[in-house]
Amino acid sequence: MQAGLVQRAFEVEDRLTFRQDYFSDLTAFEALAALLQEMFGIDIRSALGLAGLDKTTMPFGYFDTDGRCVANFSVFSVPLMVEGRRVIAAAYQSGAVRPEYRGQGLYRDLMRRAFTHARTTGHEADILMTHKPGLYEPYGLRQVRLFGFRGPAPASHPQTASGRKISIDNEGDVALIAGMLDRREPVSRRFAVRGMKEFFLLNALWQKDETTLTHLPGLDAVIAWKAAEGRLVICDIVAPAMPALSEICAGLGGGFSEVETRFSPDLLQWLQAHPVADPHIYLMVSAALTKQLSMAPVGFTPLAEF
Ligand SMILES: CC(C)(COP(=O)(O)OP(=O)(O)OC[C@H]1O[C@@H](n2cnc3c(N)ncnc32)[C@H](O)[C@@H]1OP(=O)(O)O)[C@@H](O)C(=O)NCCC(=O)NCCS
Protein backbone atom coordinates (compact mmCIF):
# COMPACT_ATOMS: atom_id res chain seq x y z
CA MET A 1 0.00 0.00 0.00
CA GLN A 2 1.28 3.50 -0.79
CA ALA A 3 2.19 5.89 2.07
CA GLY A 4 -0.69 8.27 1.21
CA LEU A 5 -3.22 5.44 1.39
CA VAL A 6 -1.89 4.24 4.76
CA GLN A 7 -2.26 7.78 6.09
CA ARG A 8 -5.84 8.02 4.76
CA ALA A 9 -6.82 4.63 6.22
CA PHE A 10 -5.60 5.76 9.65
CA GLU A 11 -7.57 8.99 9.38
CA VAL A 12 -10.74 7.08 8.55
CA GLU A 13 -10.29 4.59 11.36
CA ASP A 14 -9.67 7.43 13.84
CA ARG A 15 -13.19 8.66 13.22
CA LEU A 16 -14.74 5.21 13.10
CA THR A 17 -15.22 2.40 15.57
CA PHE A 18 -14.71 -1.18 14.46
CA ARG A 19 -17.19 -3.69 15.90
CA GLN A 20 -17.80 -7.39 15.36
CA ASP A 21 -20.48 -9.79 16.63
CA TYR A 22 -22.66 -6.79 17.52
CA PHE A 23 -26.22 -8.12 16.91
CA SER A 24 -27.00 -8.30 20.64
CA ASP A 25 -26.90 -4.47 20.55
CA LEU A 26 -30.25 -3.62 18.95
CA THR A 27 -29.15 -0.07 18.09
CA ALA A 28 -26.14 -1.37 16.15
CA PHE A 29 -28.33 -3.96 14.41
CA GLU A 30 -30.77 -1.19 13.43
CA ALA A 31 -27.82 0.81 12.06
CA LEU A 32 -26.83 -2.13 9.84
CA ALA A 33 -30.47 -2.54 8.77
CA ALA A 34 -30.51 1.15 7.74
CA LEU A 35 -27.29 0.70 5.71
CA LEU A 36 -28.70 -2.33 3.86
CA GLN A 37 -32.05 -0.62 3.30
CA GLU A 38 -30.28 2.33 1.69
CA MET A 39 -27.80 0.25 -0.35
CA PHE A 40 -30.00 -2.64 -1.49
CA GLY A 41 -33.61 -1.63 -0.66
CA ILE A 42 -34.08 -4.65 1.64
CA ASP A 43 -35.34 -4.67 5.21
CA ILE A 44 -33.57 -7.34 7.28
CA ARG A 45 -35.65 -6.38 10.31
CA SER A 46 -38.47 -8.46 8.75
CA ALA A 47 -36.53 -11.54 9.89
CA LEU A 48 -37.29 -10.68 13.52
CA GLY A 49 -41.00 -11.39 12.95
CA LEU A 50 -40.24 -14.80 11.39
CA ALA A 51 -37.57 -17.20 12.70
CA GLY A 52 -35.17 -14.39 13.65
CA LEU A 53 -31.64 -13.99 12.37
CA ASP A 54 -29.34 -16.88 11.58
CA LYS A 55 -27.61 -17.60 14.90
CA THR A 56 -24.20 -18.23 13.33
CA THR A 57 -23.98 -14.79 11.74
CA MET A 58 -20.85 -12.82 12.64
CA PRO A 59 -21.05 -9.21 11.40
CA PHE A 60 -17.91 -7.07 11.01
CA GLY A 61 -18.60 -3.36 10.72
CA TYR A 62 -17.41 0.22 11.09
CA PHE A 63 -19.60 2.79 12.87
CA ASP A 64 -19.23 6.57 12.86
CA THR A 65 -19.54 8.87 15.88
CA ASP A 66 -23.31 9.25 15.27
CA GLY A 67 -23.73 5.46 15.50
CA ARG A 68 -24.30 5.05 11.74
CA CYS A 69 -23.01 1.81 10.30
CA VAL A 70 -20.81 3.02 7.43
CA ALA A 71 -19.39 -0.34 6.33
CA ASN A 72 -20.21 -3.99 6.95
CA PHE A 73 -19.38 -7.51 5.83
CA SER A 74 -20.92 -10.55 7.57
CA VAL A 75 -20.04 -14.23 7.60
CA PHE A 76 -22.27 -17.13 8.63
CA SER A 77 -22.15 -20.93 8.51
CA VAL A 78 -24.05 -22.70 5.79
CA PRO A 79 -24.42 -26.48 5.85
CA LEU A 80 -24.31 -27.78 2.28
CA MET A 81 -24.84 -31.06 0.51
CA VAL A 82 -22.27 -31.45 -2.29
CA GLU A 83 -22.19 -34.69 -4.27
CA GLY A 84 -23.78 -36.53 -1.35
CA ARG A 85 -21.23 -35.16 1.14
CA ARG A 86 -21.98 -32.80 4.02
CA VAL A 87 -19.86 -29.65 3.83
CA ILE A 88 -19.88 -26.77 6.31
CA ALA A 89 -19.10 -23.63 4.34
CA ALA A 90 -18.63 -20.03 5.37
CA ALA A 91 -21.05 -17.77 3.50
CA TYR A 92 -20.71 -14.01 3.17
CA GLN A 93 -23.39 -11.35 2.91
CA SER A 94 -24.46 -7.81 3.86
CA GLY A 95 -21.38 -6.31 2.25
CA ALA A 96 -21.57 -2.55 1.71
CA VAL A 97 -19.75 0.72 2.35
CA ARG A 98 -21.47 4.12 2.40
CA PRO A 99 -20.52 6.14 -0.72
CA GLU A 100 -18.58 8.82 1.18
CA TYR A 101 -16.30 6.17 2.74
CA ARG A 102 -15.56 4.13 -0.39
CA GLY A 103 -12.14 3.67 -1.97
CA GLN A 104 -10.30 3.87 1.36
CA GLY A 105 -9.79 0.19 2.10
CA LEU A 106 -12.63 -0.33 4.59
CA TYR A 107 -14.16 -3.20 2.64
CA ARG A 108 -10.76 -4.83 2.11
CA ASP A 109 -10.23 -4.68 5.88
CA LEU A 110 -13.64 -6.23 6.62
CA MET A 111 -13.25 -8.94 3.98
CA ARG A 112 -9.87 -9.94 5.44
CA ARG A 113 -11.31 -10.12 8.95
CA ALA A 114 -14.26 -12.24 7.79
CA PHE A 115 -12.13 -14.63 5.73
CA THR A 116 -9.73 -15.05 8.65
CA HIS A 117 -12.66 -15.72 10.98
CA ALA A 118 -13.95 -18.41 8.60
CA ARG A 119 -10.58 -20.18 8.58
CA THR A 120 -10.06 -20.01 12.35
CA THR A 121 -13.55 -21.38 12.99
CA GLY A 122 -12.93 -24.47 10.85
CA HIS A 123 -15.06 -23.84 7.75
CA GLU A 124 -13.77 -25.95 4.90
CA ALA A 125 -15.08 -23.83 2.02
CA ASP A 126 -16.39 -20.37 1.13
CA ILE A 127 -19.52 -19.42 -0.79
CA LEU A 128 -21.17 -16.14 -1.72
CA MET A 129 -23.57 -14.60 -4.22
CA THR A 130 -22.74 -11.34 -5.94
CA HIS A 131 -23.09 -9.12 -8.98
CA LYS A 132 -19.43 -8.03 -8.55
CA PRO A 133 -17.29 -11.16 -8.89
CA GLY A 134 -14.11 -9.10 -9.38
CA LEU A 135 -14.27 -8.05 -5.72
CA TYR A 136 -13.72 -11.57 -4.45
CA GLU A 137 -11.41 -13.15 -7.05
CA PRO A 138 -8.26 -11.85 -5.27
CA TYR A 139 -9.36 -13.96 -2.27
CA GLY A 140 -9.44 -17.19 -4.29
CA LEU A 141 -13.18 -17.33 -4.95
CA ARG A 142 -14.24 -18.43 -8.42
CA GLN A 143 -17.52 -18.28 -10.32
CA VAL A 144 -19.76 -21.28 -10.75
CA ARG A 145 -22.42 -21.04 -13.43
CA LEU A 146 -25.93 -21.72 -12.21
CA PHE A 147 -28.62 -23.54 -14.18
CA GLY A 148 -32.31 -24.28 -14.11
CA PHE A 149 -33.45 -27.74 -15.28
CA ARG A 150 -36.23 -27.97 -17.84
CA GLY A 151 -38.18 -30.79 -19.42
CA PRO A 152 -41.64 -32.10 -20.26
CA ALA A 153 -43.98 -32.50 -17.30
CA PRO A 154 -44.45 -36.12 -16.21
CA ALA A 155 -47.97 -37.54 -16.30
CA SER A 156 -49.67 -36.50 -13.04
CA HIS A 157 -49.92 -39.15 -10.38
CA PRO A 158 -53.67 -39.96 -10.13
CA GLN A 159 -53.75 -40.67 -6.39
CA THR A 160 -52.24 -37.41 -5.14
CA ALA A 161 -54.57 -35.19 -3.11
CA SER A 162 -54.40 -31.52 -4.01
CA GLY A 163 -52.67 -29.04 -1.77
CA ARG A 164 -53.53 -25.90 0.18
CA LYS A 165 -52.03 -22.53 -0.62
CA ILE A 166 -50.29 -21.16 2.47
CA SER A 167 -49.14 -17.65 3.32
CA ILE A 168 -45.95 -16.24 4.82
CA ASP A 169 -48.17 -13.54 6.34
CA ASN A 170 -50.11 -16.12 8.39
CA GLU A 171 -48.62 -17.04 11.78
CA GLY A 172 -49.92 -20.61 11.70
CA ASP A 173 -48.55 -21.18 8.21
CA VAL A 174 -45.15 -19.76 9.21
CA ALA A 175 -45.05 -22.20 12.15
CA LEU A 176 -45.95 -25.05 9.78
CA ILE A 177 -43.17 -24.15 7.32
CA ALA A 178 -40.65 -23.56 10.13
CA GLY A 179 -41.40 -27.01 11.57
CA MET A 180 -40.97 -28.60 8.17
CA LEU A 181 -37.72 -26.73 7.54
CA ASP A 182 -36.36 -28.26 10.76
CA ARG A 183 -36.80 -31.75 9.35
CA ARG A 184 -36.18 -31.15 5.65
CA GLU A 185 -34.01 -33.28 3.41
CA PRO A 186 -31.71 -31.33 1.05
CA VAL A 187 -33.59 -30.81 -2.20
CA SER A 188 -30.68 -32.33 -4.16
CA ARG A 189 -27.77 -34.59 -3.30
CA ARG A 190 -25.74 -32.99 -6.07
CA PHE A 191 -25.82 -29.48 -4.58
CA ALA A 192 -28.22 -27.96 -2.05
CA VAL A 193 -28.36 -26.24 1.31
CA ARG A 194 -29.30 -28.18 4.41
CA GLY A 195 -31.49 -26.21 6.83
CA MET A 196 -31.15 -22.41 6.43
CA LYS A 197 -34.58 -21.93 7.97
CA GLU A 198 -34.17 -18.20 8.64
CA PHE A 199 -33.16 -17.51 5.02
CA PHE A 200 -36.00 -19.56 3.54
CA LEU A 201 -38.62 -17.67 5.56
CA LEU A 202 -37.15 -14.23 4.84
CA ASN A 203 -36.82 -14.98 1.11
CA ALA A 204 -40.38 -16.35 1.07
CA LEU A 205 -41.52 -13.01 2.47
CA TRP A 206 -39.44 -10.96 0.02
CA GLN A 207 -40.51 -13.14 -2.94
CA LYS A 208 -44.15 -13.54 -1.93
CA ASP A 209 -45.53 -11.59 -4.90
CA GLU A 210 -43.93 -13.92 -7.42
CA THR A 211 -43.73 -17.25 -5.57
CA THR A 212 -46.61 -19.40 -4.32
CA LEU A 213 -46.25 -21.70 -1.31
CA THR A 214 -48.44 -24.82 -1.33
CA HIS A 215 -48.66 -27.40 1.45
CA LEU A 216 -49.22 -30.95 0.21
CA PRO A 217 -50.10 -32.85 3.42
CA GLY A 218 -50.35 -36.18 1.60
CA LEU A 219 -46.72 -35.82 0.51
CA ASP A 220 -45.59 -34.09 3.73
CA ALA A 221 -44.15 -31.30 1.60
CA VAL A 222 -44.27 -27.56 1.02
CA ILE A 223 -43.62 -26.52 -2.56
CA ALA A 224 -42.40 -23.02 -3.50
CA TRP A 225 -43.40 -22.51 -7.12
CA LYS A 226 -44.67 -20.27 -9.89
CA ALA A 227 -46.31 -20.90 -13.23
CA ALA A 228 -45.52 -19.14 -16.49
CA GLU A 229 -47.09 -19.94 -19.88
CA GLY A 230 -48.02 -23.49 -18.91
CA ARG A 231 -44.61 -24.12 -17.41
CA LEU A 232 -44.37 -25.04 -13.74
CA VAL A 233 -41.25 -23.53 -12.14
CA ILE A 234 -40.37 -25.24 -8.87
CA CYS A 235 -38.18 -22.97 -6.77
CA ASP A 236 -37.82 -25.23 -3.73
CA ILE A 237 -39.29 -28.25 -1.97
CA VAL A 238 -39.36 -28.57 1.81
CA ALA A 239 -39.90 -32.20 2.78
CA PRO A 240 -38.27 -34.89 4.93
CA ALA A 241 -38.20 -37.14 1.83
CA MET A 242 -38.45 -35.82 -1.74
CA PRO A 243 -41.69 -36.80 -3.48
CA ALA A 244 -41.72 -37.77 -7.16
CA LEU A 245 -42.24 -34.88 -9.58
CA SER A 246 -45.39 -36.59 -10.92
CA GLU A 247 -46.94 -36.43 -7.42
CA ILE A 248 -45.99 -32.78 -7.01
CA CYS A 249 -47.51 -31.85 -10.39
CA ALA A 250 -50.76 -33.57 -9.44
CA GLY A 251 -50.81 -31.92 -5.99
CA LEU A 252 -50.43 -28.50 -7.62
CA GLY A 253 -53.45 -29.12 -9.83
CA GLY A 254 -51.80 -30.69 -12.91
CA GLY A 255 -52.19 -29.37 -16.45
CA PHE A 256 -48.55 -28.32 -16.86
CA SER A 257 -46.84 -29.06 -20.16
CA GLU A 258 -43.32 -28.27 -19.03
CA VAL A 259 -41.46 -28.14 -15.71
CA GLU A 260 -38.38 -26.23 -14.61
CA THR A 261 -36.62 -26.77 -11.30
CA ARG A 262 -34.19 -24.16 -9.99
CA PHE A 263 -32.05 -26.89 -8.41
CA SER A 264 -30.63 -30.20 -9.64
CA PRO A 265 -33.65 -32.53 -9.85
CA ASP A 266 -31.71 -35.71 -9.01
CA LEU A 267 -34.14 -36.74 -6.24
CA LEU A 268 -37.39 -36.16 -8.14
CA GLN A 269 -37.60 -39.33 -10.24
CA TRP A 270 -37.58 -37.19 -13.38
CA LEU A 271 -35.09 -38.17 -16.04
CA GLN A 272 -36.06 -35.87 -18.90
CA ALA A 273 -34.62 -32.54 -17.70
CA HIS A 274 -31.91 -30.59 -19.49
CA PRO A 275 -29.96 -27.66 -18.01
CA VAL A 276 -30.71 -24.07 -19.05
CA ALA A 277 -28.36 -21.24 -18.05
CA ASP A 278 -29.53 -18.98 -15.22
CA PRO A 279 -27.42 -15.83 -15.55
CA HIS A 280 -29.18 -13.65 -12.95
CA ILE A 281 -26.48 -13.81 -10.25
CA TYR A 282 -22.95 -15.13 -9.73
CA LEU A 283 -22.35 -17.91 -7.27
CA MET A 284 -18.75 -17.79 -6.11
CA VAL A 285 -17.03 -20.56 -4.21
CA SER A 286 -13.54 -21.43 -3.01
CA ALA A 287 -11.19 -23.69 -5.00
CA ALA A 288 -12.16 -27.17 -3.79
CA LEU A 289 -15.86 -26.50 -4.31
CA THR A 290 -15.28 -24.90 -7.74
CA LYS A 291 -13.90 -28.18 -9.01
CA GLN A 292 -16.78 -30.25 -7.62
CA LEU A 293 -19.52 -27.88 -8.74
CA SER A 294 -18.14 -27.47 -12.26
CA MET A 295 -18.18 -31.18 -13.11
CA ALA A 296 -21.88 -31.05 -14.07
CA PRO A 297 -24.51 -28.28 -14.03
CA VAL A 298 -25.93 -27.20 -10.67
CA GLY A 299 -28.74 -24.90 -9.59
CA PHE A 300 -29.43 -22.97 -6.40
CA THR A 301 -32.87 -22.42 -4.95
CA PRO A 302 -33.93 -18.75 -4.79
CA LEU A 303 -35.35 -19.46 -1.31
CA ALA A 304 -31.78 -19.91 -0.04
CA GLU A 305 -30.34 -16.78 -1.66
CA PHE A 306 -28.34 -14.55 0.62
C1 LIG B 1 -18.20 -2.66 -3.45
C2 LIG B 1 -17.92 -1.84 -2.19
C3 LIG B 1 -18.35 -2.62 -0.96
C4 LIG B 1 -16.43 -1.54 -2.12
O1 LIG B 1 -16.16 -0.83 -0.92
P1 LIG B 1 -14.82 0.04 -0.72
O2 LIG B 1 -14.68 0.40 0.72
O3 LIG B 1 -14.82 1.16 -1.71
O4 LIG B 1 -13.70 -1.00 -1.11
P2 LIG B 1 -12.15 -0.89 -0.74
O5 LIG B 1 -11.69 0.52 -0.86
O6 LIG B 1 -11.92 -1.55 0.58
O7 LIG B 1 -11.50 -1.75 -1.89
C5 LIG B 1 -11.27 -3.12 -1.70
C6 LIG B 1 -10.82 -3.73 -3.00
O8 LIG B 1 -11.95 -3.95 -3.86
C7 LIG B 1 -11.70 -3.35 -5.13
N1 LIG B 1 -13.02 -2.92 -5.61
C8 LIG B 1 -13.77 -1.90 -5.16
N2 LIG B 1 -14.95 -1.83 -5.82
C9 LIG B 1 -14.92 -2.85 -6.73
C10 LIG B 1 -15.83 -3.30 -7.74
N3 LIG B 1 -17.00 -2.71 -7.96
N4 LIG B 1 -15.47 -4.39 -8.48
C11 LIG B 1 -14.27 -5.00 -8.28
N5 LIG B 1 -13.39 -4.61 -7.34
C12 LIG B 1 -13.70 -3.54 -6.59
C13 LIG B 1 -10.73 -2.23 -4.85
O9 LIG B 1 -10.00 -1.88 -5.99
C14 LIG B 1 -9.85 -2.85 -3.79
O10 LIG B 1 -8.91 -3.71 -4.38
P3 LIG B 1 -7.44 -3.90 -3.71
O11 LIG B 1 -7.66 -4.51 -2.34
O12 LIG B 1 -6.73 -4.81 -4.66
O13 LIG B 1 -6.84 -2.53 -3.61
C15 LIG B 1 -18.71 -0.49 -2.24
O14 LIG B 1 -18.43 0.15 -3.47
C16 LIG B 1 -20.23 -0.66 -2.11
O15 LIG B 1 -20.75 -0.65 -1.01
N6 LIG B 1 -20.94 -0.79 -3.25
C17 LIG B 1 -22.40 -0.95 -3.24
C18 LIG B 1 -22.84 -2.25 -2.57
C19 LIG B 1 -22.14 -3.46 -3.15
O16 LIG B 1 -22.02 -3.62 -4.36
N7 LIG B 1 -21.68 -4.36 -2.25
C20 LIG B 1 -21.02 -5.59 -2.64
C21 LIG B 1 -22.05 -6.66 -2.60
S1 LIG B 1 -21.43 -8.23 -3.10
Side-chain angles (χ1 to χ4, degrees):
M1 199 194 273
Q2 295 161 0
L5 279 181
V6 174
Q7 179 62 32
R8 205 141 44 109
F10 275 120
E11 282 168 11
V12 169
E13 288 184 35
D14 269 358
R15 288 177 279 122
L16 300 177
T17 305
F18 169 74
R19 297 185 66 177
Q20 72 180 64
D21 199 12
Y22 59 79
F23 280 177
S24 55
D25 175 350
L26 193 60
T27 310
F29 170 72
E30 292 276 352
L32 171 65
L35 172 71
L36 300 180
Q37 178 84 58
E38 284 170 49
M39 294 297 125
F40 304 117
I42 55 168
D43 185 0
I44 58 166
R45 289 170 303 182
S46 310
L48 303 180
L50 296 165
L53 301 166
D54 176 274
K55 311 285 179 294
T56 68
T57 303
M58 169 67 74
F60 296 89
Y62 278 99
F63 292 77
D64 70 9
T65 47
D66 295 326
R68 284 189 327 153
C69 182
V70 304
N72 188 80
F73 191 54
S74 299
V75 53
F76 61 97
S77 289
V78 52
L80 298 172
M81 176 66 75
V82 183
E83 294 293 354
R85 194 171 77 84
R86 290 161 177 253
V87 173
I88 302 288
Y92 304 88
Q93 63 162 191
S94 305
V97 176
R98 286 191 182 277
E100 63 272 31
Y101 285 96
R102 287 180 192 165
Q104 303 176 51
L106 284 183
Y107 202 59
R108 183 191 311 119
D109 174 86
L110 296 175
M111 285 192 286
R112 287 181 179 170
R113 290 177 191 267
F115 292 134
T116 302
H117 174 81
R119 294 293 78 79
T120 54
T121 46
H123 296 85
E124 64 176 287
D126 297 308
I127 176 169
L128 61 79
M129 309 192 86
T130 184
H131 292 287
K132 295 186 173 125
L135 261 175
Y136 306 102
E137 279 161 1
Y139 300 91
L141 277 82
R142 295 289 174 265
Q143 292 172 44
V144 171
R145 285 185 72 193
L146 291 178
F147 293 84
F149 296 83
R150 226 177 254 181
S156 287
H157 201 287
Q159 280 157 14
T160 308
S162 59
R164 176 178 73 87
K165 191 174 160 188
I166 55 179
S167 167
I168 196 70
D169 294 322
N170 177 294
E171 224 174 281
D173 288 345
V174 170
L176 170 85
I177 305 166
M180 294 198 58
L181 284 162
D182 284 335
R183 54 193 185 89
R184 83 180 300 188
E185 174 190 31
V187 74
S188 158
R189 284 181 65 76
R190 168 114 184 77
F191 181 50
V193 298
R194 302 184 285 117
M196 284 188 77
K197 173 163 76 175
E198 294 82 358
F199 289 87
F200 183 102
L201 293 171
L202 193 55
N203 282 316
L205 181 70
W206 287 345
Q207 296 168 24
K208 69 178 182 181
D209 291 339
E210 68 257 33
T211 305
T212 302
L213 298 172
T214 298
H215 181 215
L216 301 173
L219 302 180
D220 197 14
V222 167
I223 316 295
W225 63 284
K226 46 194 163 189
E229 297 157 5
R231 182 192 304 141
L232 167 66
V233 179
I234 302 183
C235 300
D236 206 349
I237 301 168
V238 183
M242 282 304 126
L245 183 60
S246 58
E247 297 174 303
I248 295 171
C249 288
L252 297 181
F256 307 106
S257 55
E258 196 179 30
V259 178
E260 177 176 328
T261 62
R262 301 296 302 279
F263 48 86
S264 310
D266 48 282
L267 295 175
L268 300 187
Q269 299 168 46
W270 181 45
L271 301 174
Q272 295 160 291
H274 62 273
V276 285
D278 174 7
H280 87 287
I281 196 156
Y282 293 96
L283 180 72
M284 298 194 77
V285 298
S286 47
L289 276 187
T290 315
K291 212 183 257 178
Q292 283 181 292
L293 296 180
S294 302
M295 288 190 301
V298 291
F300 196 79
T301 161
L303 277 300
E305 275 179 14
F306 54 88

